[in-house]
Amino acid sequence: MAVFQYISTFLTEVGNQLLISPNPFYSALILIANGLWIPIIIIMLINAKIVWIDWRQGVYHVKNRKFILLAIDVPRDNEQSPKAVESIFAALHGALPGSNTLYQEWWLGKSVDYFSVELISIEGYVQFLVYLQEEYRNMVESAFYAQYPDAEITQVEDYVYGQEGEFKDLTFPSDKYDIIGSEIVFLNQDAYPIRLHMEFEHSLSQEFKDPMASLLETMNSMGPGEQLWFQWVITPEYDDNWHPQSEKLAMKIAGKSVETPQNAADKFIGGLVKWVDAIGVAIFPFYNQTEESEKQDDMPSLMLHLTPAEQKQVESIQLKADKHGFWTKFRYMYIAKKEVASKARGLSPVFGSLKQFSSLNSNSIKPHKYTKTFSLYYLMVPQRMASRQNKLLRAYQNRSRSMGSSGIILNTEELATLYHFPTEVVKAPLVSRTQSKRASAPISLPIEGAPRTLREAVSQPPAGSESPAPPSEPETQPLPTSQPSSASAGSAPSNLPFV
């Protein structure tokens, strides 16, 4: 009782001081002196931590990471489904290390390594690319060759600055170029999946209707002076960072309770609430004693009473959480010269193609409203448009993980749905593909300086002894000069029956 009386007295005194305050500035000083400084200090410490971590990670990034860009070409008669690319993304998830120590995180600035898978069209020429650290080149090439043995992987120059460096110092507003683009985010929570590639297979004929077909045709339609870029900056995510939230959401829809792991802040707040409840029980004997509180916390399962749509939601959420995930920054950008730039080619068909991956019952993709460079209204539209265009271009060029939206979680299956090589039924003519199949040389092919194969015998003379002379070749015997027999001359056998 004394605690509540003290709190009531304190709030009354602060209120009286505010009533006699001569101006708002003095009122703010009163609030700060009477406890408002605590949340202010907490907010300042949180922001200081963010600034410090970003700075240390930037130093680590510049000092320790060297990136290269690989172009991937697959055969024209590719029969592999997106399942093959799903295996590739599962292999890339192997770059996820163990948990960093406080020293590695706070002082060294070490963070999880990342990749960027990209799909671009430069004046209609379409190319699949992978941006990666040089130390991961063998791992990436092995992952691709394991699924596509006839693929061609070549290191190329970075395209984001233009073929002649025209985009390196480009700023907006510009008299030469225009940009339409945005970051792509989810409509619902990350736990809900988008439409997956299996849903594009016919249920009876099992024919795969490749959703990449319309997107590749749109990219093939780019003309001179036009470029269309897609970028997925993927960082392997720890399963514990998103699986429990997905399971909690699925159980909530199903009407079940699930215990999720709590961090230190959750435990502190929970303990504080229990302490307040204990005080209430001590003061008021019937505090928190109701019929509802006496019931068990476990709710009965509602799966039998769910609608088909809700049952599918629970199933899809759990299936998504069953596979490894990547924290992803998904960007798209159409950059073209002013005289040829067109929203009819760079905006409408792009989002029309991306709508194939939307599921109204589960999840959909949409442009991020604070990074999109189109459909801006009201105040200072030209200035806001130019600012967003500059930020989007720099974020794309730097493959930034901090600029723009907070990102989305895509599992390996969703990534393979959005980024996979076209099958042989896709007739997009300007997609870069291999022109011929390559095969490795036979293992027994003699090469000067090559290692000995297991088929070769090892014979070394003992020390101090002379090498035995090679055996002499047998004398060649002259062929007999006898006349060939009738059979050898090609005549019919004597016992052949004739009529």
Side-chain angles (χ1 to χ4, degrees):
M1 190 67 180
V3 175
F4 290 101
Q5 184 176 1
Y6 174 78
I7 294 175
S8 176
T9 304
F10 172 75
L11 293 177
T12 303
E13 292 179 356
V14 173
N16 293 333
Q17 293 179 15
L18 292 175
L19 290 176
I20 62 174
S21 173
N23 53 62
F25 178 75
Y26 189 72
S27 300
L29 292 178
I30 293 173
L31 293 174
I32 292 174
N34 287 276
L36 188 61
W37 60 273
I38 297 177
I40 293 177
I41 292 296
I42 293 176
I43 294 173
M44 291 177 63
L45 289 176
I46 292 174
N47 284 276
K49 174 193 173 183
I50 295 173
V51 172
W52 173 267
I53 294 295
D54 286 346
W55 172 59
R56 295 309 301 170
Q57 288 182 353
V59 172
Y60 179 87
H61 177 82
V62 173
K63 184 178 179 181
N64 298 284
R65 289 179 174 140
K66 181 180 180 182
F67 288 89
I68 58 175
L69 187 65
L70 299 180
I72 314 294
D73 297 334
V74 296
R76 186 171 297 276
D77 56 348
N78 170 42
E79 297 179 356
Q80 292 274 37
S81 70
K83 278 287 185 183
V85 184
E86 184 180 341
S87 300
I88 293 175
F89 284 118
L92 297 186
H93 200 273
L96 184 66
S99 300
N100 294 328
T101 63
L102 292 177
Y103 172 74
Q104 291 174 326
E105 181 179 359
W106 284 78
W107 182 252
L108 295 181
K110 187 177 181 181
S111 60
V112 180
D113 295 326
Y114 64 96
F115 306 87
S116 178
V117 292
E118 301 170 6
L119 177 60
I120 64 169
S121 171
I122 300 179
E123 298 182 351
Y125 172 81
V126 180
Q127 180 68 65
F128 289 83
L129 300 164
V130 180
Y131 182 79
L132 66 149
Q133 290 177 228
E134 193 171 18
E135 61 183 288
Y136 290 119
R137 178 167 184 170
N138 288 338
M139 184 185 77
V140 172
E141 289 182 344
S142 299
F144 277 94
Y145 283 135
Q147 304 299 327
Y148 299 93
D150 299 321
E152 291 184 0
I153 302 178
T154 311
Q155 184 173 344
V156 295
E157 295 293 330
D158 205 345
Y159 65 95
V160 295
Y161 301 109
Q163 296 179 347
E164 299 178 358
E166 60 269 23
F167 303 148
K168 187 172 184 179
D169 300 319
L170 179 63
T171 56
F172 291 90
S174 172
D175 297 332
K176 294 183 178 180
Y177 294 96
D178 192 13
I179 280 182
I180 301 174
S182 173
E183 289 196 9
I184 309 296
V185 295
F186 281 154
L187 181 64
N188 296 324
Q189 300 179 43
D190 290 340
Y192 292 95
I194 59 174
R195 188 181 301 274
L196 302 175
H197 57 84
M198 295 88 66
E199 301 180 53
F200 292 92
E201 294 182 3
H202 195 277
S203 58
L204 297 179
S205 64
Q206 300 299 314
E207 183 180 359
F208 179 60
K209 299 296 184 180
D210 197 339
M212 294 288 290
S214 61
L215 183 60
L216 292 176
E217 288 295 338
T218 299
M219 301 180 78
N220 276 162
S221 67
M222 296 293 107
E226 294 179 301
Q227 299 187 26
L228 185 58
W229 302 346
F230 290 91
Q231 180 185 84
W232 294 265
V233 182
I234 56 175
T235 305
E237 185 62 275
Y238 291 100
D239 296 336
D240 293 340
N241 290 347
W242 67 286
H243 280 189
Q245 290 80 359
S246 299
E247 185 67 16
K248 182 178 179 180
L249 178 60
M251 293 299 100
K252 180 180 178 181
I253 299 175
K256 293 184 177 180
S257 61
V258 59
E259 293 185 2
T260 57
Q262 296 180 337
N263 54 28
D266 294 335
K267 292 180 180 179
F268 173 76
I269 295 174
L272 185 62
V273 171
K274 290 181 179 179
W275 180 72
V276 173
D277 287 342
I279 295 176
V281 172
I283 298 174
F284 305 103
F286 299 102
Y287 174 81
N288 204 25
Q289 295 294 323
T290 62
E291 294 181 359
E292 295 294 331
S293 64
E294 295 176 357
K295 293 182 179 180
Q296 287 186 342
D297 293 334
D298 294 336
M299 298 174 59
S301 175
L302 300 178
M303 286 298 292
L304 297 177
H305 306 284
L306 297 180
T307 65
E310 291 172 333
Q311 292 180 3
K312 189 174 181 180
Q313 283 181 343
V314 174
E315 181 182 2
S316 62
I317 291 172
Q318 292 182 325
L319 288 176
K320 177 173 181 176
D322 190 48
K323 299 188 177 182
H324 295 299
F326 290 81
W327 179 70
T328 307
K329 299 298 286 288
F330 182 9
R331 298 185 180 98
Y332 124 83
M333 189 164 63
Y334 167 78
I335 182 169
K337 294 182 178 180
K338 283 276 190 179
E339 56 269 20
V340 297
S342 171
K343 284 187 177 181
R345 287 192 302 273
L347 178 62
S348 302
V350 170
F351 281 97
S353 301
L354 293 179
K355 282 184 179 294
Q356 298 177 96
F357 307 107
S358 297
S359 174
L360 299 182
N361 183 50
S362 181
N363 216 340
S364 304
I365 52 181
K366 65 173 185 177
H368 186 236
K369 63 179 180 179
Y370 296 120
T371 59
K372 66 179 183 179
T373 63
F374 51 89
S375 302
L376 298 184
Y377 307 103
Y378 308 116
L379 300 176
M380 303 175 64
V381 172
Q383 292 81 3
R384 291 163 55 208
M385 181 78 72
S387 175
R388 292 189 180 188
Q389 288 174 329
N390 288 322
K391 291 179 180 178
L392 181 64
L393 179 61
R394 299 296 170 254
Y396 193 105
Q397 290 175 335
N398 298 328
R399 278 86 178 183
S400 174
R401 294 188 291 178
S402 58
M403 298 179 65
S405 68
S406 57
I408 56 178
I409 296 292
L410 294 172
N411 70 358
T412 55
E413 199 169 17
E414 291 174 303
L415 280 171
T417 301
L418 293 168
Y419 180 91
H420 64 266
F421 302 103
T423 58
E424 59 182 348
V425 299
V426 179
K427 303 301 182 182
L430 296 181
V431 178
S432 180
R433 310 180 196 237
T434 58
Q435 301 300 321
S436 60
K437 292 186 177 181
R438 298 186 300 175
S440 59
I443 189 173
S444 58
L445 185 68
I447 302 176
E448 184 178 358
R452 180 182 58 83
T453 65
L454 294 178
R455 294 188 178 89
E456 298 177 12
V458 179
S459 65
Q460 295 181 353
S465 63
E466 296 182 357
S467 301
S472 58
E473 296 183 0
E475 296 182 0
T476 306
Q477 299 295 332
L479 294 175
T481 59
S482 59
Q483 296 296 328
S485 62
S486 61
S488 62
S491 58
S494 58
N495 61 348
L496 186 68
F498 290 96
V499 178

